[in-house]
Amino acid sequence: MIIQEEITEQAKEFIEENVWDSVRDFLEYEIFHFGDKNPLVLTVGLLIFVFIVFIVTTVLLRMVRKIVTRRMESSDKQKFDSVFSFSKYFIYVIVIFFALDSIGFNITAVFAASAALLVGVGLALQTFFQDILSGIFIFIDKTVHVGDIIELDGKIGRVEEIKLRTTRAVTIDNKVLIIPNHLYLTNTLYNWTQNNIITREFIEVGVAYGSDTTLVKELLIKAALSNKMVLKKPAPLVLFTNFGDSSLNFRLVFTINDSFMAAIPKSEIRFEIDRLFRAHNVEIPFPQRVVTMAGGSKKE
């Protein structure tokens, strides 16, 4: 009986030693080996360790994100999520590198082997990182909001979505503008509606010399007020801007309640101005030139 127990105990020890040896051999199995001096070695155990670190980091990041955004407003939460989704990749890289360095993995060899590649990738992604940084600046200083009407590089659109790399806007003819965020840093941005959707617009027109300027002023104001998109308060204003070469120049200033649609009421008001001027015999002049022919005669 004692002999049988000794045999059983020896068998257990033998099995345990073989199992641990098998597990050790499995974990130390080299998947990748590079270099002779200070070699870069990737084993199964190291790969499992990285996976565990990745899972733990993911769980912690989700907890932090949930705690931070718990009391945020929906708009601020969306902005934070965009920045957080980009930043977490840097956190993953930093945490994994620190974890590998703590168990003796040759991080220096990794940087040495990938230095040229990292430089090339950095140059190739220079504009990409500019877009990301610009997107972060937009979120922080709140330069642009969803619903704003912006003008950038001669293009006008209503902002529909702001992402970390691009801003999407829709033009008046329902075309989608995809604007790389770095353009906000390199171009002048006009935000038509940062103060309010109500904006001041103007139309310039010239009339012939000798015209009744008081009548012109009355007709211009009447044309503006005839449009339903023009606000009664503040009232439209007519400015006598200059004595031109062939015309008396006026500027009609008015306020509308939807700057995104400004082109439509301005066109309608021009039609009405033309109609009223014709009805009251107010002439809109056109430039005339006098050409002297070679015999002294003149031709207009």
Side-chain angles (χ1 to χ4, degrees):
M1 191 72 177
I2 297 175
I3 296 174
Q4 185 177 0
E5 291 179 356
E6 290 180 355
I7 294 174
T8 304
E9 188 68 26
Q10 290 176 359
K12 288 182 178 179
E13 291 177 359
F14 177 77
I15 292 173
E16 289 178 357
E17 289 178 359
N18 283 314
V19 169
W20 281 114
D21 289 340
S22 298
V23 172
R24 188 183 305 109
D25 292 339
F26 174 74
L27 294 176
E28 293 178 353
Y29 179 78
E30 295 184 0
I31 300 174
F32 179 80
H33 186 105
F34 178 78
D36 297 326
K37 186 178 180 181
N38 295 325
L40 178 62
V41 180
L42 178 62
T43 64
V44 173
L46 190 60
L47 193 62
I48 293 174
F49 175 74
V50 171
F51 180 75
I52 294 173
V53 170
F54 182 84
I55 295 298
V56 172
T57 305
T58 301
V59 173
L60 291 176
L61 286 175
R62 287 181 178 176
M63 291 176 59
V64 171
R65 176 182 177 183
K66 186 175 181 180
I67 293 172
V68 173
T69 60
R70 183 170 50 190
R71 297 183 179 180
M72 282 187 177
E73 297 180 359
S74 58
S75 59
D76 293 333
K77 184 177 180 180
Q78 184 179 9
K79 295 176 183 178
F80 177 83
D81 287 342
S82 298
V83 177
F84 187 81
S85 62
F86 175 73
S87 303
K88 68 181 181 181
Y89 297 110
F90 288 100
I91 297 175
Y92 282 133
V93 172
I94 293 172
V95 169
I96 290 174
F97 276 168
F98 270 109
L100 292 176
D101 185 66
S102 66
I103 62 173
F105 186 72
N106 193 358
I107 299 296
T108 305
V110 175
F111 286 119
S114 59
L117 178 62
L118 291 175
V119 171
V121 171
L123 292 175
L125 298 179
Q126 184 177 3
T127 303
F128 173 79
F129 286 117
Q130 288 180 353
D131 290 335
I132 297 297
L133 291 175
S134 301
I136 293 174
F137 290 148
I138 292 172
F139 290 148
I140 293 174
D141 63 15
K142 299 181 180 181
T143 305
V144 180
H145 299 82
V146 173
D148 285 352
I149 299 170
I150 61 172
E151 179 180 352
L152 185 68
D153 197 22
K155 299 179 178 62
I156 302 170
R158 190 194 302 274
V159 176
E160 297 292 331
E161 185 179 21
I162 303 174
K163 293 185 176 182
L164 202 58
R165 194 182 67 83
T166 59
T167 297
R168 296 176 183 269
V170 177
T171 64
I172 192 173
D173 50 0
N174 204 33
K175 294 179 180 178
V176 177
L177 287 175
I178 301 177
I179 307 170
N181 287 337
H182 77 271
L183 293 180
Y184 291 121
L185 298 181
T186 58
N187 293 271
T188 301
L189 171 69
Y190 294 95
N191 191 328
W192 289 13
T193 52
Q194 190 170 42
N195 293 330
N196 203 315
I197 62 171
I198 297 175
T199 56
R200 299 280 278 178
E201 305 290 339
F202 66 88
I203 293 175
E204 294 184 326
V205 64
V207 299
Y209 275 90
S211 301
D212 186 345
T213 55
T214 302
L215 176 62
V216 170
K217 179 179 179 180
E218 293 175 357
L219 296 178
L220 290 177
I221 292 177
K222 183 178 180 181
L225 293 176
S226 68
N227 193 280
K228 61 183 181 180
M229 293 185 67
V230 175
L231 300 181
K232 303 299 187 293
K233 293 183 180 180
L237 174 68
V238 175
L239 302 176
F240 192 158
T241 56
N242 204 357
F243 294 93
D245 294 335
S246 58
S247 64
L248 304 175
N249 298 328
F250 293 84
R251 172 177 291 188
L252 171 62
V253 183
F254 52 91
T255 305
I256 61 174
N257 55 10
D258 188 353
S259 58
F260 189 60
M261 306 295 291
I264 295 176
K266 290 171 76 172
S267 175
E268 293 174 349
I269 292 172
R270 289 189 182 99
F271 276 116
E272 183 64 12
I273 290 172
D274 181 70
R275 187 189 70 81
L276 291 174
F277 278 10
R278 290 177 183 274
H280 293 81
N281 297 318
V282 177
E283 181 184 353
I284 300 178
F286 56 89
Q288 299 184 14
R289 295 183 180 179
V290 176
V291 180
T292 303
M293 306 298 291
S297 60
K298 296 182 179 179
K299 183 178 181 181
E300 294 188 0

